[in-house]
Amino acid sequence: MAGHRLRPQRRRCEGWGREIASARIGRPPQRELPARRRLEIIEAAYEVFTAHGYEATAISEVAARAGIGQGTVYRYFGSKREILDHVIDLGIEKVTDAMRPRTVFGAADTVDDLVAAVRAAVARLYDLLEREPHVLRLLVVEAGAIDPELAHRLLGLEALTASLIAAELTRGLEAGWIRPDIDPEVLGHTIPTLVGPWLMRELLGAGNPTIRDRSMTAVFAYLDRTLRPLSPPSPPNPPP
């Protein structure tokens, strides 16, 4: 972000904190308070950013949601844009926790196992969107439109996801339970795009359980056919 940012005066604040703590005779300093306060501000910002949008939200609204003064926010963060970085981290963490990558990558021994694990991960993502319907809008729409730095960061996340999928496909290919003629790198980028359009319907408010189940059934049937080794041709019938 161009221009100067308002930065919290950390050393001065820490000095004041030590003086106040020493004046409270018999009361131990709350060393965990700064980390807890930062988390409270980030969680409050996540709630108002996802509810009203980043651009439409003022720092005063974040402070009000956190139950603190506006000046307290600036003790911990230099700007609204800085808070957004941490809010994006929180949103990515929520998506990652929902999908549980460890149940998808490195756990399968067959195409059936892999397809079932990916389908379960996508189902958990839909469950997250049911609980927090605006998290996807924050990550996909708003963050990418705010500035090139965030857009590049989200592209990096897509590249990381694609590389993890490609590594898993390579593992299955080398073990012989994925067909040998696939291109793991290409499919690593392609597989997320099979789910993407149906997630976009959630952004538009057009998703419903019937459409989700129908789309997932079609997508994962296609994925199964793409990955499963081809059956050897049946031997010809002997002549009579």
Side-chain angles (χ1 to χ4, degrees), residues 43-64:
E43 289 177 340
Y46 173 83
E47 292 178 8
V48 293
F49 287 175
T50 54
H52 307 299
Y54 169 78
E55 294 291 353
T57 298
I59 286 291
S60 59
E61 295 176 85
V62 175

PDB file of all heavy atoms in Angstrom, residues 43-64:
ATOM      1  N   GLU A  43     -10.129 -11.681  14.996  1.00  0.00           N
ATOM      2  CA  GLU A  43     -11.408 -12.390  14.905  1.00  0.00           C
ATOM      3  C   GLU A  43     -12.564 -11.403  14.726  1.00  0.00           C
ATOM      4  O   GLU A  43     -13.508 -11.685  13.979  1.00  0.00           O
ATOM      5  CB  GLU A  43     -11.608 -13.235  16.157  1.00  0.00           C
ATOM      6  CG  GLU A  43     -10.663 -14.443  16.209  1.00  0.00           C
ATOM      7  CD  GLU A  43     -10.805 -15.244  17.482  1.00  0.00           C
ATOM      8  OE1 GLU A  43     -11.326 -14.688  18.483  1.00  0.00           O
ATOM      9  OE2 GLU A  43     -10.404 -16.428  17.495  1.00  0.00           O
ATOM     10  N   ALA A  44     -12.498 -10.250  15.405  1.00  0.00           N
ATOM     11  CA  ALA A  44     -13.539  -9.237  15.226  1.00  0.00           C
ATOM     12  C   ALA A  44     -13.515  -8.706  13.797  1.00  0.00           C
ATOM     13  O   ALA A  44     -14.564  -8.514  13.167  1.00  0.00           O
ATOM     14  CB  ALA A  44     -13.338  -8.100  16.227  1.00  0.00           C
ATOM     15  N   ALA A  45     -12.317  -8.459  13.264  1.00  0.00           N
ATOM     16  CA  ALA A  45     -12.196  -7.968  11.890  1.00  0.00           C
ATOM     17  C   ALA A  45     -12.706  -9.001  10.902  1.00  0.00           C
ATOM     18  O   ALA A  45     -13.362  -8.651   9.908  1.00  0.00           O
ATOM     19  CB  ALA A  45     -10.732  -7.621  11.594  1.00  0.00           C
ATOM     20  N   TYR A  46     -12.424 -10.261  11.157  1.00  0.00           N
ATOM     21  CA  TYR A  46     -12.930 -11.328  10.284  1.00  0.00           C
ATOM     22  C   TYR A  46     -14.454 -11.275  10.227  1.00  0.00           C
ATOM     23  O   TYR A  46     -15.058 -11.376   9.145  1.00  0.00           O
ATOM     24  CB  TYR A  46     -12.459 -12.686  10.803  1.00  0.00           C
ATOM     25  CG  TYR A  46     -13.056 -13.866  10.070  1.00  0.00           C
ATOM     26  CD1 TYR A  46     -12.504 -14.309   8.878  1.00  0.00           C
ATOM     27  CD2 TYR A  46     -14.179 -14.520  10.566  1.00  0.00           C
ATOM     28  CE1 TYR A  46     -13.060 -15.385   8.198  1.00  0.00           C
ATOM     29  CE2 TYR A  46     -14.734 -15.603   9.891  1.00  0.00           C
ATOM     30  CZ  TYR A  46     -14.164 -16.024   8.717  1.00  0.00           C
ATOM     31  OH  TYR A  46     -14.728 -17.084   8.050  1.00  0.00           O
ATOM     32  N   GLU A  47     -15.087 -11.093  11.372  1.00  0.00           N
ATOM     33  CA  GLU A  47     -16.551 -11.073  11.416  1.00  0.00           C
ATOM     34  C   GLU A  47     -17.121  -9.895  10.634  1.00  0.00           C
ATOM     35  O   GLU A  47     -18.072 -10.058   9.855  1.00  0.00           O
ATOM     36  CB  GLU A  47     -17.017 -11.024  12.869  1.00  0.00           C
ATOM     37  CG  GLU A  47     -16.724 -12.308  13.648  1.00  0.00           C
ATOM     38  CD  GLU A  47     -17.151 -12.208  15.099  1.00  0.00           C
ATOM     39  OE1 GLU A  47     -17.804 -11.209  15.458  1.00  0.00           O
ATOM     40  OE2 GLU A  47     -16.817 -13.124  15.871  1.00  0.00           O
ATOM     41  N   VAL A  48     -16.555  -8.699  10.819  1.00  0.00           N
ATOM     42  CA  VAL A  48     -17.129  -7.531  10.141  1.00  0.00           C
ATOM     43  C   VAL A  48     -16.713  -7.473   8.680  1.00  0.00           C
ATOM     44  O   VAL A  48     -17.495  -7.029   7.827  1.00  0.00           O
ATOM     45  CB  VAL A  48     -16.772  -6.217  10.880  1.00  0.00           C
ATOM     46  CG1 VAL A  48     -17.462  -6.177  12.228  1.00  0.00           C
ATOM     47  CG2 VAL A  48     -15.279  -6.046  11.047  1.00  0.00           C
ATOM     48  N   PHE A  49     -15.492  -7.916   8.352  1.00  0.00           N
ATOM     49  CA  PHE A  49     -15.078  -7.931   6.945  1.00  0.00           C
ATOM     50  C   PHE A  49     -15.947  -8.892   6.142  1.00  0.00           C
ATOM     51  O   PHE A  49     -16.351  -8.577   5.013  1.00  0.00           O
ATOM     52  CB  PHE A  49     -13.619  -8.345   6.812  1.00  0.00           C
ATOM     53  CG  PHE A  49     -12.619  -7.305   7.245  1.00  0.00           C
ATOM     54  CD1 PHE A  49     -11.261  -7.605   7.257  1.00  0.00           C
ATOM     55  CD2 PHE A  49     -13.010  -6.046   7.643  1.00  0.00           C
ATOM     56  CE1 PHE A  49     -10.323  -6.667   7.653  1.00  0.00           C
ATOM     57  CE2 PHE A  49     -12.084  -5.091   8.055  1.00  0.00           C
ATOM     58  CZ  PHE A  49     -10.735  -5.412   8.063  1.00  0.00           C
ATOM     59  N   THR A  50     -16.215 -10.076   6.688  1.00  0.00           N
ATOM     60  CA  THR A  50     -17.019 -11.046   5.954  1.00  0.00           C
ATOM     61  C   THR A  50     -18.492 -10.630   5.903  1.00  0.00           C
ATOM     62  O   THR A  50     -19.201 -10.970   4.959  1.00  0.00           O
ATOM     63  CB  THR A  50     -16.908 -12.451   6.568  1.00  0.00           C
ATOM     64  OG1 THR A  50     -17.229 -12.395   7.964  1.00  0.00           O
ATOM     65  CG2 THR A  50     -15.510 -13.019   6.395  1.00  0.00           C
ATOM     66  N   ALA A  51     -18.949  -9.902   6.911  1.00  0.00           N
ATOM     67  CA  ALA A  51     -20.355  -9.486   6.940  1.00  0.00           C
ATOM     68  C   ALA A  51     -20.621  -8.289   6.041  1.00  0.00           C
ATOM     69  O   ALA A  51     -21.650  -8.232   5.353  1.00  0.00           O
ATOM     70  CB  ALA A  51     -20.770  -9.170   8.375  1.00  0.00           C
ATOM     71  N   HIS A  52     -19.693  -7.316   6.029  1.00  0.00           N
ATOM     72  CA  HIS A  52     -19.956  -6.047   5.344  1.00  0.00           C
ATOM     73  C   HIS A  52     -18.994  -5.754   4.200  1.00  0.00           C
ATOM     74  O   HIS A  52     -19.240  -4.818   3.426  1.00  0.00           O
ATOM     75  CB  HIS A  52     -19.899  -4.889   6.347  1.00  0.00           C
ATOM     76  CG  HIS A  52     -20.779  -5.071   7.536  1.00  0.00           C
ATOM     77  ND1 HIS A  52     -22.150  -5.193   7.443  1.00  0.00           N
ATOM     78  CD2 HIS A  52     -20.485  -5.189   8.864  1.00  0.00           C
ATOM     79  CE1 HIS A  52     -22.670  -5.361   8.658  1.00  0.00           C
ATOM     80  NE2 HIS A  52     -21.674  -5.369   9.534  1.00  0.00           N
ATOM     81  N   GLY A  53     -17.905  -6.525   4.100  1.00  0.00           N
ATOM     82  CA  GLY A  53     -16.902  -6.244   3.086  1.00  0.00           C
ATOM     83  C   GLY A  53     -15.771  -5.409   3.661  1.00  0.00           C
ATOM     84  O   GLY A  53     -15.981  -4.572   4.535  1.00  0.00           O
ATOM     85  N   TYR A  54     -14.586  -5.643   3.142  1.00  0.00           N
ATOM     86  CA  TYR A  54     -13.403  -4.944   3.652  1.00  0.00           C
ATOM     87  C   TYR A  54     -13.491  -3.436   3.415  1.00  0.00           C
ATOM     88  O   TYR A  54     -13.285  -2.636   4.327  1.00  0.00           O
ATOM     89  CB  TYR A  54     -12.148  -5.515   2.982  1.00  0.00           C
ATOM     90  CG  TYR A  54     -10.896  -4.725   3.226  1.00  0.00           C
ATOM     91  CD1 TYR A  54     -10.210  -4.838   4.429  1.00  0.00           C
ATOM     92  CD2 TYR A  54     -10.389  -3.864   2.255  1.00  0.00           C
ATOM     93  CE1 TYR A  54      -9.048  -4.114   4.663  1.00  0.00           C
ATOM     94  CE2 TYR A  54      -9.237  -3.131   2.475  1.00  0.00           C
ATOM     95  CZ  TYR A  54      -8.571  -3.266   3.678  1.00  0.00           C
ATOM     96  OH  TYR A  54      -7.429  -2.540   3.911  1.00  0.00           O
ATOM     97  N   GLU A  55     -13.778  -3.042   2.183  1.00  0.00           N
ATOM     98  CA  GLU A  55     -13.782  -1.613   1.847  1.00  0.00           C
ATOM     99  C   GLU A  55     -14.834  -0.843   2.637  1.00  0.00           C
ATOM    100  O   GLU A  55     -14.634   0.320   2.990  1.00  0.00           O
ATOM    101  CB  GLU A  55     -14.013  -1.427   0.349  1.00  0.00           C
ATOM    102  CG  GLU A  55     -12.896  -1.958  -0.535  1.00  0.00           C
ATOM    103  CD  GLU A  55     -11.605  -1.150  -0.420  1.00  0.00           C
ATOM    104  OE1 GLU A  55     -11.622  -0.098   0.241  1.00  0.00           O
ATOM    105  OE2 GLU A  55     -10.596  -1.579  -0.997  1.00  0.00           O
ATOM    106  N   ALA A  56     -15.962  -1.481   2.924  1.00  0.00           N
ATOM    107  CA  ALA A  56     -17.057  -0.789   3.605  1.00  0.00           C
ATOM    108  C   ALA A  56     -16.899  -0.766   5.116  1.00  0.00           C
ATOM    109  O   ALA A  56     -17.719  -0.156   5.810  1.00  0.00           O
ATOM    110  CB  ALA A  56     -18.389  -1.446   3.245  1.00  0.00           C
ATOM    111  N   THR A  57     -15.873  -1.409   5.641  1.00  0.00           N
ATOM    112  CA  THR A  57     -15.701  -1.518   7.093  1.00  0.00           C
ATOM    113  C   THR A  57     -14.693  -0.499   7.583  1.00  0.00           C
ATOM    114  O   THR A  57     -13.606  -0.364   7.025  1.00  0.00           O
ATOM    115  CB  THR A  57     -15.216  -2.934   7.472  1.00  0.00           C
ATOM    116  OG1 THR A  57     -16.193  -3.886   7.086  1.00  0.00           O
ATOM    117  CG2 THR A  57     -14.984  -3.044   8.967  1.00  0.00           C
ATOM    118  N   ALA A  58     -15.053   0.220   8.639  1.00  0.00           N
ATOM    119  CA  ALA A  58     -14.154   1.175   9.281  1.00  0.00           C
ATOM    120  C   ALA A  58     -13.482   0.517  10.489  1.00  0.00           C
ATOM    121  O   ALA A  58     -14.032  -0.419  11.077  1.00  0.00           O
ATOM    122  CB  ALA A  58     -14.919   2.418   9.728  1.00  0.00           C
ATOM    123  N   ILE A  59     -12.314   1.029  10.841  1.00  0.00           N
ATOM    124  CA  ILE A  59     -11.607   0.505  12.008  1.00  0.00           C
ATOM    125  C   ILE A  59     -12.472   0.631  13.258  1.00  0.00           C
ATOM    126  O   ILE A  59     -12.441  -0.223  14.150  1.00  0.00           O
ATOM    127  CB  ILE A  59     -10.275   1.255  12.208  1.00  0.00           C
ATOM    128  CG1 ILE A  59      -9.263   0.813  11.157  1.00  0.00           C
ATOM    129  CG2 ILE A  59      -9.701   1.000  13.592  1.00  0.00           C
ATOM    130  CD1 ILE A  59      -8.772  -0.606  11.330  1.00  0.00           C
ATOM    131  N   SER A  60     -13.290   1.672  13.326  1.00  0.00           N
ATOM    132  CA  SER A  60     -14.160   1.854  14.493  1.00  0.00           C
ATOM    133  C   SER A  60     -15.123   0.683  14.648  1.00  0.00           C
ATOM    134  O   SER A  60     -15.462   0.292  15.771  1.00  0.00           O
ATOM    135  CB  SER A  60     -14.941   3.163  14.366  1.00  0.00           C
ATOM    136  OG  SER A  60     -15.727   3.179  13.181  1.00  0.00           O
ATOM    137  N   GLU A  61     -15.556   0.087  13.529  1.00  0.00           N
ATOM    138  CA  GLU A  61     -16.446  -1.075  13.594  1.00  0.00           C
ATOM    139  C   GLU A  61     -15.711  -2.303  14.110  1.00  0.00           C
ATOM    140  O   GLU A  61     -16.282  -3.102  14.860  1.00  0.00           O
ATOM    141  CB  GLU A  61     -17.039  -1.354  12.211  1.00  0.00           C
ATOM    142  CG  GLU A  61     -17.946  -0.252  11.685  1.00  0.00           C
ATOM    143  CD  GLU A  61     -18.411  -0.539  10.276  1.00  0.00           C
ATOM    144  OE1 GLU A  61     -19.413  -1.257  10.113  1.00  0.00           O
ATOM    145  OE2 GLU A  61     -17.755  -0.054   9.327  1.00  0.00           O
ATOM    146  N   VAL A  62     -14.467  -2.453  13.692  1.00  0.00           N
ATOM    147  CA  VAL A  62     -13.651  -3.564  14.201  1.00  0.00           C
ATOM    148  C   VAL A  62     -13.476  -3.409  15.706  1.00  0.00           C
ATOM    149  O   VAL A  62     -13.627  -4.372  16.468  1.00  0.00           O
ATOM    150  CB  VAL A  62     -12.281  -3.601  13.500  1.00  0.00           C
ATOM    151  CG1 VAL A  62     -11.386  -4.673  14.117  1.00  0.00           C
ATOM    152  CG2 VAL A  62     -12.450  -3.842  11.999  1.00  0.00           C
ATOM    153  N   ALA A  63     -13.160  -2.176  16.144  1.00  0.00           N
ATOM    154  CA  ALA A  63     -12.966  -1.919  17.571  1.00  0.00           C
ATOM    155  C   ALA A  63     -14.243  -2.200  18.354  1.00  0.00           C
ATOM    156  O   ALA A  63     -14.206  -2.811  19.427  1.00  0.00           O
ATOM    157  CB  ALA A  63     -12.516  -0.476  17.781  1.00  0.00           C
ATOM    158  N   ALA A  64     -15.377  -1.747  17.814  1.00  0.00           N
ATOM    159  CA  ALA A  64     -16.648  -1.972  18.507  1.00  0.00           C
ATOM    160  C   ALA A  64     -16.962  -3.447  18.626  1.00  0.00           C
ATOM    161  O   ALA A  64     -17.416  -3.921  19.677  1.00  0.00           O
ATOM    162  CB  ALA A  64     -17.770  -1.243  17.760  1.00  0.00           C
TER     163      ALA A  64
END
